[in-house]
Amino acid sequence: MIGQKYRFRANRFVVLFPLVMTSCTVSKVDPGDYFKSLWWDVKMNQREAGEEMIADPAWIWRKLRCNNRTLPYLQVDSNEVIPSRLTAGERINHHMVYSLCPATPSKVVPARLARSILYKGNIIFQDVTDNYELKPGRWSVDAFVKVAEQAQAGVYSLQSTLTNKDLDVTVDAGFVVKQKDQEETR
């Protein structure tokens, strides 16, 4: 019975894969871009705006050897924008993961979180949270931003800055915006 289940999935793949590749060829879409787009859609649909704890404070304390560091200690573990290539009018997901060792166990660290979108070195959008609470442990933070329909094609950067009297951390993640095809806008 189990073998039939996997055989069915394999058969479905064997049938669907050539159809997808044929449709990509006919529509002049790069199959690699098509599958990346599917992957980004799956990742974005699994995420919600807000925060989620990934690892508890005690584990992070040991892993990062926080007893040997100046506290509070903040480390940005990952910072990404998905999709990395999109069409004007679509939305991006900013996904950042940080680890925090506070000076006192269970203490939150207030900070200023500024997210800025830059185009050609100029800030074109900024969202600031003045009393953002960095929490002990490892946390993922997700935000979604819709790129304007009129956005110019080109390379953009999403810059995130976390600051307070003890911390000053800035990370960047790039993405590319392309304009809609003229046929789509007619």
Side-chain angles (χ1 to χ4, degrees), residues 1-184:
M1 192 68 135
I2 293 175
Q4 289 177 348
K5 177 180 169 184
Y6 289 112
R7 200 169 325 130
F8 173 72
R9 286 185 183 168
N11 289 340
R12 187 170 46 182
F13 176 78
V14 169
V15 170
L16 291 177
F17 185 74
L19 290 173
V20 168
M21 297 305 285
T22 302
S23 69
C24 288
T25 304
V26 169
S27 64
K28 298 180 183 172
V29 172
D30 179 9
D33 287 346
Y34 177 78
F35 287 110
K36 278 184 190 175
S37 177
L38 285 176
W39 173 247
W40 291 325
D41 288 346
V42 168
K43 281 180 89 170
M44 282 179 59
N45 288 331
Q46 291 175 341
R47 295 179 178 164
E48 295 178 7
E51 312 171 309
E52 183 180 352
M53 180 185 261
I54 297 173
D56 68 83
W59 187 82
I60 291 300
W61 186 272
R62 287 188 307 275
K63 179 164 175 57
L64 298 181
R65 299 184 178 132
C66 292
N67 54 331
N68 298 329
R69 299 186 181 275
T70 302
L71 301 176
Y73 176 72
L74 175 68
Q75 173 179 300
V76 176
D77 302 306
S78 68
N79 183 59
E80 69 177 342
V81 171
I82 58 170
S84 60
R85 294 189 320 187
L86 67 144
T87 303
E90 295 179 342
R91 69 184 189 145
I92 58 171
N93 168 216
H94 175 231
H95 180 74
M96 180 173 63
V97 177
Y98 72 85
S99 297
L100 175 72
C101 297
T104 306
S106 79
K107 182 178 180 182
V108 297
V109 175
R112 180 178 194 262
L113 170 61
R115 287 188 184 104
S116 306
I117 295 180
L118 291 88
Y119 178 69
K120 294 185 178 179
N122 299 311
I123 295 175
I124 59 168
F125 172 81
Q126 188 170 52
D127 177 51
V128 177
T129 305
D130 284 319
N131 295 314
Y132 186 77
E133 291 186 345
L134 294 166
K135 297 171 182 69
R138 181 168 289 152
W139 291 80
S140 69
V141 182
D142 284 285
F144 294 87
V145 178
K146 183 176 180 185
V147 174
E149 298 274 346
Q150 312 85 338
Q152 294 182 8
V155 178
Y156 289 75
S157 176
L158 192 148
Q159 185 178 76
S160 300
T161 306
L162 292 159
T163 55
N164 71 11
K165 62 183 179 68
D166 300 316
L167 305 168
D168 188 5
V169 176
T170 300
V171 292
D172 293 282
F175 61 99
V176 175
V177 173
K178 61 182 182 178
Q179 292 182 328
K180 290 184 178 182
D181 293 335
Q182 289 183 346
E183 290 178 18
E184 291 179 3

